[in-house]
Amino acid sequence: MANLSPSLNSVMSRLHAKQLRLLITIEECGSLLGAADKIGLTQPGASKALRELEQTLQVELFARTNRGLIPTEAGLCALRFARLIQADINKLRHELDAIASGAGGRLAIGTIMGAVPVLTDAVTQLLRQQPRMSVEIVEDTSETLLGLIDRGRLDAAICRSSVSRNPDVYESLFVKAESLAVIANVRHSAMGADAVDLRELQDSRWVVYRAHMPMRRLLEREFHEAELNFPSHLIETTSALATLTLLSRNTDLVALVSEDLANYFCHNGLVGTLALTLKSRSEPYELVFRKGTPKSPALALLVESLVPDGQPASPTGISS
């Protein structure tokens, strides 16, 4: 394969959608025969299409091994962009359908657990402006949401780009600072106390994010700075509903959540906020997009609702 990259005109004139579909399917199946069967090509036809794609891009996309076809480094790069192109074409279909039917378009947005109330308020406002719009909301960790943005599955997400190894590939807008609270069942032994020390909660069972997530690291640091052992027998979840349900049914559980989420949870009377003062501060919420991607009218309206000043996010980590 040549070392020089092909020109844009050369790629655009020779690249076909079926080749990109084949590229993705080979990676999913691990074999040319399996991919050919899945997308309705003969094996010689699939082999020719892959060879033409490699010639167009002037790189080897798969290594031929006794375990099947394994993507090369160049292949992994091509796969990432193939999925983005496929996702954008799918969005094109949805938007054209929306235009044809008079609907208000479609928006796929992600959120971390703590920002659920912030996002749902913004979506509620958006739907008042565009009542025929379709919205998909995905709740997960920042790491997972960034991966979905990378693959074109989400238009944007309220999360933290700092968890990525390459945060500079995203565009981030400041949404709001996050305050934290510790919540528990209203019958928890520490509920109603004027002040709660972290030591009193060391033997409680904690509902937490999984390891290495920003809020989990913050809680671990709180215990470390208090010279306390971090609790064992944790319950790990990224679900707001699971957290609320667990706390409402177990009087010995406690959870660290955003203040926005704590306030929402407390309205149902099943959980309350403990009077524990945390020394650490959480990173602010960001609205994160793929850098350089045009914003649809629907996304532009959501940005206006969440980030009225269009203020860039500061690249800061957790601080104390």
Side-chain angles (χ1 to χ4, degrees), residues 69-294:
L69 298 180
I70 307 299
T72 62
E73 184 177 354
L76 291 172
C77 177
L79 277 161
R80 180 163 62 88
F81 282 94
R83 289 194 177 96
L84 290 174
I85 293 168
Q86 180 177 262
D88 284 339
I89 292 174
N90 197 37
K91 288 175 185 174
L92 170 63
R93 289 177 52 250
H94 284 299
E95 292 206 22
L96 290 176
D97 286 344
I99 291 171
S101 65
R106 184 180 185 278
L107 184 66
I109 186 79
T111 179
I112 55 177
M113 179 171 65
V116 168
V118 176
L119 176 61
T120 52
D121 285 347
V123 169
T124 299
Q125 180 177 332
L126 177 63
L127 293 177
R128 291 194 186 106
Q129 297 174 279
Q130 298 287 339
R132 295 174 64 85
M133 180 177 293
S134 298
V135 181
E136 177 186 3
I137 297 176
V138 178
E139 179 193 343
D140 216 307
T141 63
S142 291
E143 182 180 29
T144 299
L145 295 174
L146 292 175
L148 293 174
I149 290 173
D150 291 341
R151 295 194 293 275
R153 295 282 304 279
L154 293 177
D155 297 301
I158 302 179
C159 59
R160 298 182 175 100
S161 59
S162 62
V163 305
S164 171
R165 294 180 180 178
N166 302 296
D168 56 334
V169 304
Y170 305 105
E171 176 187 352
S172 301
L173 299 175
F174 174 85
V175 174
K176 64 174 294 187
E178 182 186 51
S179 299
L180 300 176
V182 175
I183 59 176
N185 188 288
V186 291
R187 297 191 300 277
H188 190 279
S189 58
M191 190 62 64
D194 292 336
V196 177
D197 188 87
L198 190 60
R199 189 177 303 275
E200 299 173 52
L201 302 179
Q202 187 176 18
D203 294 330
S204 292
R205 193 161 191 174
W206 285 78
V207 181
V208 296
Y209 267 103
R210 64 174 178 260
H212 309 304
M213 291 294 98
M215 197 177 292
R216 171 72 169 271
R217 294 200 308 266
L218 185 149
L219 184 61
E220 289 172 349
R221 193 165 83 174
E222 287 283 325
F223 275 90
H224 175 73
E225 293 184 351
E227 299 182 347
L228 298 171
N229 292 326
F230 192 67
S232 55
H233 310 299
L234 303 168
I235 300 175
E236 297 180 336
T237 182
T238 60
S239 167
L241 178 59
T243 300
L244 174 60
T245 305
L246 284 165
L247 292 177
S248 67
R249 296 179 178 177
N250 297 272
T251 59
D252 61 333
L253 296 182
V254 294
L256 178 65
V257 299
S258 71
E259 194 171 82
D260 291 313
L261 204 57
N263 291 337
Y264 183 78
F265 281 175
C266 290
H267 285 163
N268 61 39
L270 297 175
V271 303
T273 300
L274 299 178
L276 175 69
T277 301
L278 298 168
K279 298 178 181 178
S280 301
R281 290 180 298 164
S282 181
E283 296 177 58
Y285 299 139
E286 301 168 10
L287 187 61
V288 183
F289 324 85
R290 284 159 46 199
K291 184 174 285 186
T293 302

Side-chain angles (χ1 to χ4, degrees), residues 3-78:
N3 291 326
L4 295 177
S5 298
S7 68
L8 178 59
N9 284 340
S10 173
V11 173
M12 292 296 290
S13 63
R14 299 174 62 188
L15 189 64
H16 300 286
K18 70 176 182 181
Q19 295 170 332
L20 299 180
R21 186 182 176 201
L22 176 64
L23 175 66
I24 295 169
T25 310
I26 291 173
E27 195 267 341
E28 292 172 347
C29 296
S31 74
L32 192 63
L33 178 60
D37 287 342
K38 191 170 182 178
I39 64 176
L41 291 176
T42 63
Q43 185 169 3
S47 180
K48 180 183 177 183
L50 176 59
R51 184 168 62 252
E52 289 175 345
L53 178 58
E54 290 183 321
Q55 290 171 349
T56 297
L57 299 178
Q58 298 179 13
V59 291
E60 185 178 34
L61 298 173
F62 292 94
R64 282 70 174 171
T65 74
N66 56 9
R67 292 178 294 136
L69 298 180
I70 307 299
T72 62
E73 184 177 354
L76 291 172
C77 177

